[in-house]
Amino acid sequence: ILNVEQSPQSLHVQEGDSTNFTCSFPSSNFYALHWYRWETAKSPEALFVMTLNGDEKKKGRISATLNTKEGYSYLYIKGSQPEDSATYLCASSTGGYNKLIFGAGTRLAVHP
Amino acid sequence: GAVVSQHPSRVICKSGTSVKIECRSLDFQATTMFWYRQFPKKSLMLMATSNEGSKATYEQGVEKDKFLINHASLTLSTLTVTSAHPEDSSFYICSARDVVRSSNYGYTFGSGTRLTVV
């Protein structure tokens, strides 16, 4: 994989549903994987930074896992709420000023 | 928490003019800032990495004479789109790396600038 890829591109769920998205990234020269939450008209907000294979991080109802050997990360949202509606971006860095290469994002809409 | 202020949020300019976009880190020193451009329904595309006191490093395919980046202080980086043309119309956004926080908390983004060249 040469680019960072995210799936699905968009997702519509009902309030209370749990959901997950995927981020695939180049596994060679991997340094860190970032997840951001981006609401319309706001700045992207950092959710997690993960570096080690097998890392799992949690923030409230949101959690993420990392597999650096196969080059993927999952983001999970448990019991989705309308306020979770946003675009979720992942980004991979390979060192060298730690510049981030972003995926196109997953747009989540949670319906009441 | 760390805050980056980006201005202007929207700008409309005439073709052939130059536009300057500013990003300021308000409560931390940003030795490194990154400039991105986003096309509709596409990823944030990294344009350049700017380091305080040195020349910016541009990504392949980004014209350094078209997109001038200056990072003269630890809290301010600017992107100037020179001789803008309609194809430069896009969403531009900066992010800053707080060396102390970024390993655990990621980078801090500005709120972006929507540039329209008419």
Side-chain angles (χ1 to χ4, degrees):
Chain A
I1 299 172
L2 299 179
N3 296 316
V4 178
E5 298 173 358
Q6 290 187 247
S7 63
Q9 188 175 47
S10 65
L11 195 55
H12 292 258
V13 301
Q14 290 298 124
E15 183 175 355
D17 287 350
S18 293
T19 187
N20 64 85
F21 344 120
T22 305
C23 173
S24 300
F25 56 88
S27 54
S28 60
N29 301 317
F30 171 82
Y31 184 82
L33 192 284
H34 293 223
W35 280 100
Y36 290 83
R37 180 171 175 274
W38 194 3
E39 288 183 75
T40 303
K42 294 186 179 179
S43 306
E45 171 199 356
L47 290 173
F48 305 113
V49 178
M50 296 185 288
T51 56
L52 299 177
N53 185 46
D55 254 356
E56 288 189 32
K57 292 208 173 179
K58 189 175 180 182
K59 188 175 182 178
R61 293 178 291 99
I62 305 176
S63 61
T65 61
L66 179 67
N67 182 320
T68 61
K69 293 184 178 180
E70 295 182 42
Y72 65 84
S73 175
Y74 294 131
L75 187 81
Y76 300 91
I77 302 178
K78 185 177 178 182
S80 303
Q81 299 296 308
E83 56 265 31
D84 296 329
S85 298
T87 295
Y88 291 83
L89 299 171
C90 73
S92 172
S93 72
T94 56
Y97 293 116
N98 303 136
K99 63 183 184 182
L100 297 179
I101 305 300
F102 280 84
T106 293
R107 283 186 298 282
L108 174 67
V110 182
H111 302 282
Chain B
V3 177
V4 170
S5 175
Q6 182 171 346
H7 293 282
S9 57
R10 290 181 181 273
V11 57
I12 300 172
C13 70
K14 291 184 177 180
S15 189
T17 62
S18 295
V19 174
K20 182 186 283 189
I21 302 169
E22 290 190 350
C23 271
R24 291 181 185 273
S25 56
L26 299 185
D27 48 2
F28 66 99
Q29 292 184 333
T31 52
T32 305
M33 285 196 181
F34 304 91
W35 287 94
Y36 293 86
R37 177 176 180 176
Q38 187 183 35
F39 295 98
K41 297 187 179 180
K42 298 289 186 183
S43 305
L44 292 175
M45 183 194 78
L46 181 65
M47 298 174 67
T49 302
S50 126
N51 291 288
E52 185 266 337
S54 63
K55 288 184 179 180
T57 303
Y58 289 81
E59 295 299 303
Q60 192 173 11
V62 178
E63 300 175 59
K64 60 180 71 174
D65 294 330
K66 162 68 104 175
F67 300 101
L68 298 179
I69 290 172
N70 184 279
H71 194 158
S73 79
L74 285 171
T75 59
L76 175 64
S77 178
T78 60
L79 167 67
T80 302
V81 183
T82 63
S83 186
H85 288 96
E87 57 265 30
D88 299 324
S89 298
S90 194
F91 183 79
Y92 296 87
I93 191 167
C94 66
S95 72
R97 180 171 176 247
D98 178 347
V99 175
V100 174
R101 289 171 49 88
S102 65
S103 296
N104 290 317
Y105 300 104
Y107 298 173
T108 303
F109 279 81
S111 52
T113 298
R114 173 73 59 191
L115 170 64
T116 304
V117 185
V118 297

